[in-house]
């Protein structure tokens, strides 16, 4: 049951104070500690009652027999959605963020690599950068270069005019005239179609069109798939993995094993990220992802898009007890800068307009 509408301003104030303290100190927070907070002018007994009700509502938990409480995942979720303050980025951090924009980096993967290192350094957590797959390449035109009767080079002009080539060895002999006919069939049948559309009926149609030279189709299609499969592969890079060991949440051997399982599940994480909202920073706490081993971790990231397609992402992975305000603000600021460098505009910016400075 969602109790958010039942929370009084006083409960929200106490919950926010507990989470702020717990993020900073990593210890359960008791009512006596909160009485020292100048913004909470309440007695220890009143605070205890409110904390007990917040626990009943599922926003706080009481570990062991400690008198203090810690946030639950629901508590963290409410905090991220509506309670936390905007992180005030320092002048040094702003300078570090702007350093990236002064570098002459053209390739997206290099840009992401530098951004990942910087985000890990600034946040103190493990960063991750994703370069999305191309969704499979599309060949716009086929050409061939004859080498001998059993070997030729298949030349494929891809989207964006990039050119890929594969040397094809065949048992069936192919003359120069045969290759001219082969390219004509390929261009009429599979040029401009997606990998998913290169199906059995198309292959049978090509074999039919080749007649006595139908045996050439199988090795050619194999070569085509090798090229478009490579273009379609995405990857995730992690920076600052050793930073996880600094947090008591990962001092337990089992927790460390879980986290390294997460780092190995790149495909699962990529699926989560590419399916997420693209116009804001996404915060997935604990079991909010489909990655089973992330039950005790949080993933914060923002996607980079081009022409409506996700081409990459920058984020942070760490314990549920994360400095959400700082991480969200810095991830947002970094992706704004990357978007500007790519020549596209983040939400709310006109093309060419510099990203807003973090507040």
């Amino acid at each position: 049951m969602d109790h958010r509408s039942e929370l009084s301003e006083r409960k929200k104030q106490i919950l926010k104070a507990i989470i702020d303290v717990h993020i900073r100190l990593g210890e359960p927070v008791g009512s006596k500690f909160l009485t020292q907070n100048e913004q909470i002018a309440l007695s220890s007994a009143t605070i205890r009652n409110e904390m007990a009700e917040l626990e009943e509502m599922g926003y706080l938990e009481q570990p062991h027999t400690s008198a203090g409480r810690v946030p639950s995942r629901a508590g963290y979720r409410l905090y991220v959605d509506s309670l936390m303050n905007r992180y005030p980025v320092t002048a040094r951090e702003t300078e570090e963020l702007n350093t990236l924009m002064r570098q002459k980096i053209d390739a997206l993967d290099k840009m992401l690599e530098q951004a990942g290192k910087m985000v890990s350094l600034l946040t103190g957590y493990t960063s991750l950068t994703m370069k999305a797959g191309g969704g499979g390449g599309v060949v716009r035109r086929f050409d061939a270069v004859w080498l001998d009767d059993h070997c030729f080079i298949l030349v494929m002009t891809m989207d964006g005019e990039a050119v890929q080539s594969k040397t094809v060895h065949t048992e069936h002999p192919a003359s120069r005239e045969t290759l001219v006919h082969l390219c004509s069939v390929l261009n009429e049948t599979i040029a401009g179609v997606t990998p998913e559309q290169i199906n059995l009926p198309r292959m049978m149609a090509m074999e039919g069109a080749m007649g006595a030279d139908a045996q050439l189709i199988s090795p050619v299609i194999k070569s085509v798939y090798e090229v478009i499969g490579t273009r379609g592969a995405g990857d995730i890079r992690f920076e600052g993995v050793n930073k996880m060991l600094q947090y008591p949440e990962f001092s337990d051997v089992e927790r460390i094993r879980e986290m390294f399982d997460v780092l190995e599940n790149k495909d699962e994480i990529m699926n989560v990220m590419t399916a997420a909202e693209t116009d804001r920073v996404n915060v997935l706490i604990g079991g909010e992802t489909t990655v089973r081993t992330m039950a005790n971790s949080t993933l914060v990231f923002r996607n980079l898009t081009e022409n409506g397609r996700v081409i990459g992402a920058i984020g942070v992975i760490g314990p549920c007890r994360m400095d959400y305000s700082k991480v969200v603000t810095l991830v947002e600021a970094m992706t704004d800068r990357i978007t500007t460098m790519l020549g596209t505009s983040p939400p709310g910016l006109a093309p060419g307009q510099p990203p807003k400075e973090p507040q």
Side-chain angles (χ1 to χ4, degrees), residues 148-281:
D148 60 44
D149 283 347
H150 295 278
C151 184
F152 63 90
I153 298 173
L154 184 66
V155 181
M156 291 162 276
T157 303
M158 316 295 292
D159 277 336
E161 298 304 312
V163 176
Q164 299 283 335
S165 62
K166 292 288 291 185
T167 301
V168 181
H169 298 274
T170 69
E171 294 183 6
H172 184 80
S175 65
R176 287 183 172 87
E177 292 74 17
T178 301
L179 292 186
V180 172
H181 180 47
L182 172 65
C183 290
S184 176
V185 170
L186 293 173
N187 285 321
E188 290 176 3
T189 312
I190 62 171
V193 305
T194 64
E196 294 77 16
Q197 294 173 317
I198 304 177
N199 49 28
L200 184 58
R202 286 183 186 271
M203 292 177 64
M204 292 176 66
M206 287 186 285
E207 288 177 346
M210 290 301 298
D213 298 309
Q215 293 180 49
L216 294 175
I217 294 299
S218 180
V220 165
I221 293 300
K222 181 177 182 292
S223 297
V224 172
Y225 268 116
E226 286 175 355
V227 168
I228 61 180
T230 300
R231 285 173 59 84
D235 191 29
I236 290 182
R237 179 192 296 268
F238 297 96
E239 295 285 349
V241 174
N242 61 319
K243 295 182 185 297
M244 293 181 183
L245 304 178
Q246 302 173 7
Y247 297 94
E249 288 87 346
F250 297 124
S251 60
D252 180 87
V253 174
E254 187 59 34
R255 290 286 179 87
I256 283 291
R257 185 180 293 114
E258 285 181 1
M259 178 50 68
F260 277 91
D261 283 345
V262 170
L263 302 186
E264 291 179 3
N265 287 331
K266 290 186 176 183
D267 289 343
E268 291 186 51
I269 296 176
M270 189 174 296
N271 289 338
V272 169
M273 295 172 78
T274 53
E277 293 189 41
T278 58
D279 60 347
R280 66 182 180 87
V281 177

